[in-house]
């Protein structure tokens, strides 16, 4: 098993590299990069424009009149745009051979040179291997610090939602399989299908209206993961405050997960219950509980466990943006969305790298769960 885990860990590197290559390539074809975003903001905010350029719009127009420059016709000086490209890593300063001194665009012996996309990508991945994600274009803070700050929120939503979904759906699915066709089975199937049909954002708004002071009861807080007096609380008080704040966001994230997991568990158990080894176990006089959890459980849970990575990553990334926005939670989903809108590439690629790495590691943990549930599974022998 150790050799298999080692091989899987080594496969993380090329897989993650491929994910980053695809996403980096796609961004090269998306119109409106970070420089265009800055230009658009300055064109709409005259005071900011004047403060940055040091003059009015007339001076900028005069400095670029008659020149076919990079978006210079919009009114921004070419020198300012060149500095932006260099600061953001799209270009570099190259000086003539034999030049001595500090490279500068003001020096006639130096000029701006575009950095090829492939070179920028390789340089970025080299920094990522050292966990250096660079600095945000617009926030003037390190991306690693931003991700570390926002990660606990997304982990909270993803982890708790996934655990609750499994702890509720598996026992419920088993009971539905045992009582297949009964009134209990029919009623619970109707309830979980209705829950599955309700959009997560709509259920989140409903929870706010009912239980967060919208129109009825003020039971849970409206926003955030902790109270303002968090530091003053005792250890027990901090734990209670934490669960008080995450109750509604986690419920909203989990509601749609019950149907898939419950019905998958039920159908898996029904398939196993009809097999010959179950009939034999019952003929030997084993109790129903022993048959279900001692024999059927291991075989039926394999297909359920295989969906763990997809469920976790789905809640961790896909659903976190909407839930974080509604409940005013400052997590990775919201950070990534805002970065995508602003074309803040360091944050975009940094969050993609983290999500990709988390997804691959969770996939390895899923394989380990296979072995934990059914020790007869031997991945090394299968590969051999």
């Amino acid at each position: 098993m150790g050799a298999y885990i080692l091989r899987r860990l080594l496969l993380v590197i090329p897989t993650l590299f491929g994910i980053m290559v695809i996403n980096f390539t796609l961004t090269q074809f998306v119109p409106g990069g970070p420089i265009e975003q800055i230009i658009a903001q300055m064109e709409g905010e005259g005071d900011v424009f004047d403060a940055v350029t040091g003059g009015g719009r007339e001076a900028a127009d005069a400095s670029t009149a008659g020149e076919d420059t990079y978006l210079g016709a919009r009114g921004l000086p070419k020198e300012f745009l060149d500095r932006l490209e260099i600061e953001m890593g799209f270009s570099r300063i190259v000086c003539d051979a034999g030049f001595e001194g500090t490279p500068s665009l003001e020096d006639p012996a130096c000029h701006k040179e575009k950095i090829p996309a492939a070179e920028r990508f390789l340089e970025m991945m080299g920094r990522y291997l050292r966990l250096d994600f660079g600095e945000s274009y617009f926030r003037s803070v390190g991306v690693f610090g931003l991700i570390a700050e926002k990660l606990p929120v997304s982990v909270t939503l993803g982890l708790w939602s996934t655990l609750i979904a499994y702890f509720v759906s598996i026992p419920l699915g088993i009971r539905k399989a045992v009582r297949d066709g009964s009134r209990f089975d029919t009623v619970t199937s109707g309830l979980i299908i209705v829950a599955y049909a309700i959009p997560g954002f709509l259920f989140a708004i409903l929870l706010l209206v009912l239980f967060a002071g919208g129109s009825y009861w003020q039971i849970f807080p409206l926003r955030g993961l902790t109270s303002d007096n968090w530091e003053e609380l005792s250890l027990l008080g901090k734990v209670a405050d934490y669960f008080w704040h995450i109750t509604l966001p986690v419920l909203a994230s989990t509601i749609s997960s019950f149907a898939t997991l419950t019905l998958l568990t039920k159908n898996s158990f029904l398939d196993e219950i009809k097999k010959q080894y179950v009939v034999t176990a019952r003929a030997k006089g084993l109790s129903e509980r022993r048959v279900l959890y001692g024999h059927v459980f291991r075989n039926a849970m394999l297909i359920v466990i295989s969906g763990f990575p997809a469920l976790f990553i789905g809640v961790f990334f896909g659903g976190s943006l909407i839930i974080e926005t509604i409940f005013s939670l400052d997590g990775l989903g919201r950070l990534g969305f805002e970065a995508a809108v602003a074309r803040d590439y360091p944050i975009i690629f940094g969050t993609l790298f983290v999500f990709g790495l988390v997804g691959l590691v969770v996939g390895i943990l899923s394989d380990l769960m296979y072995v934990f549930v059914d020790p007869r599974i031997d991945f090394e022998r299968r590969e051999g």
Side-chain angles (χ1 to χ4, degrees):
M1 191 64 183
Y4 171 78
I5 295 175
L6 179 60
R7 284 195 295 270
R8 286 294 304 271
L9 289 174
L10 292 176
L11 279 174
V12 167
I13 299 174
T15 305
L16 194 57
F17 185 84
I19 293 172
M20 298 303 296
V21 166
I22 294 173
N23 287 282
F24 186 87
T25 303
L26 290 175
T27 59
Q28 307 308 306
F29 299 98
V30 176
I35 294 179
E36 285 85 349
Q37 294 289 323
I38 294 176
I39 291 173
Q41 290 177 10
M42 289 185 172
E43 286 293 322
E45 298 175 14
D47 295 338
V48 176
F49 177 88
D50 295 340
V52 174
T53 59
R57 236 170 251 284
E58 294 80 6
D61 291 338
S63 68
T64 58
E67 295 181 10
D68 184 15
T69 58
Y70 174 70
L71 293 179
R74 288 191 175 186
L76 291 179
K78 179 179 182 299
E79 295 77 12
F80 174 72
L81 295 174
D82 289 343
R83 289 198 300 271
L84 272 181
E85 287 192 21
I86 293 170
E87 289 177 3
M88 292 184 174
F90 296 106
S91 302
R92 59 190 165 204
I93 300 176
V94 178
C95 299
D96 297 337
F99 174 82
E100 295 182 358
T102 304
S104 173
L105 289 178
E106 284 73 24
D107 197 301
C110 300
H111 63 279
K112 182 191 72 171
E113 178 184 82
K114 289 277 189 180
I115 302 177
E119 184 177 337
R120 286 190 282 117
F121 174 76
L122 293 176
E123 189 272 336
M124 179 187 73
M125 292 305 298
R127 288 188 289 104
Y128 280 14
L129 292 177
R130 306 189 301 270
L131 295 182
D132 177 11
F133 299 122
E135 188 172 293
S136 168
Y137 288 156
F138 305 105
R139 298 174 183 244
S140 299
V141 293
V143 176
F144 185 85
L146 273 175
I147 292 176
E149 178 186 346
K150 315 296 184 185
L151 188 61
V153 176
S154 297
V155 169
T156 293
L157 289 178
L159 186 60
W160 284 112
S161 298
T162 305
L163 289 177
I164 290 174
Y166 268 80
F167 283 134
V168 172
S169 298
I170 291 177
L172 179 59
I174 294 173
R175 187 162 183 81
K176 285 172 64 63
V178 173
R179 303 181 61 180
D180 183 39
S182 66
R183 184 176 181 181
F184 172 82
D185 181 38
T186 304
V187 171
T188 53
S189 294
L191 290 176
I192 61 175
I193 289 174
V194 169
Y196 181 76
I198 300 175
F201 74 91
L202 184 61
F203 187 66
I205 295 173
L206 179 63
L207 290 175
L208 286 179
V209 171
L210 291 177
F211 304 111
S215 299
Y216 295 91
W217 303 282
Q218 179 68 54
I219 300 176
F220 296 97
L222 188 61
R223 60 176 58 87
L225 277 184
T226 56
S227 301
D228 294 335
N229 62 337
W230 166 263
E231 298 297 334
E232 303 172 5
L233 299 175
S234 63
L235 178 60
L236 187 60
K238 288 181 178 180
V239 173
D241 183 77
Y242 169 75
F243 283 106
W244 183 47
H245 279 78
I246 69 170
T247 298
L248 296 187
V250 168
L251 281 177
S253 301
T254 313
I255 187 67
S256 62
S257 305
F258 291 126
T260 303
L261 272 176
T262 301
L263 296 179
L264 183 62
T265 303
K266 174 191 173 183
N267 293 331
S268 298
F269 265 79
L270 284 176
D271 289 341
E272 293 296 323
I273 287 174
K274 297 175 183 177
K275 292 184 178 179
Q276 184 62 43
Y277 74 90
V278 176
V279 177
T280 304
R282 286 172 174 166
K284 290 181 178 180
L286 296 180
S287 64
E288 191 67 17
R289 183 179 182 83
R290 179 71 181 276
V291 171
L292 287 177
Y293 293 97
H295 296 272
V296 177
F297 184 83
R298 288 183 177 181
N299 298 322
M301 282 298 98
L302 293 179
I303 190 172
V304 177
I305 290 174
S306 65
F308 177 82
L311 177 63
F312 177 77
I313 296 301
V315 176
F316 185 62
F317 180 62
S320 61
L321 168 60
I322 298 175
I323 301 303
E324 287 172 13
T325 301
I326 292 176
F327 289 97
S328 299
L329 301 175
D330 202 6
L332 277 182
R334 193 173 177 183
L335 175 68
F337 172 75
E338 293 174 352
V341 172
R343 303 297 193 271
D344 198 339
Y345 291 156
I347 294 181
I348 292 174
F349 295 130
T351 52
L352 282 172
F353 183 86
V354 171
F355 280 128
L357 184 60
V358 170
L360 293 171
V361 172
V362 170
I364 297 175
L365 294 177
S366 178
D367 287 348
L368 296 179
M369 285 297 295
Y370 275 124
V371 179
F372 175 77
V373 173
D374 191 350
R376 296 172 298 175
I377 295 178
D378 190 340
F379 288 107
E380 293 185 11
R381 184 176 300 174
R382 279 183 159 188
E383 291 188 351

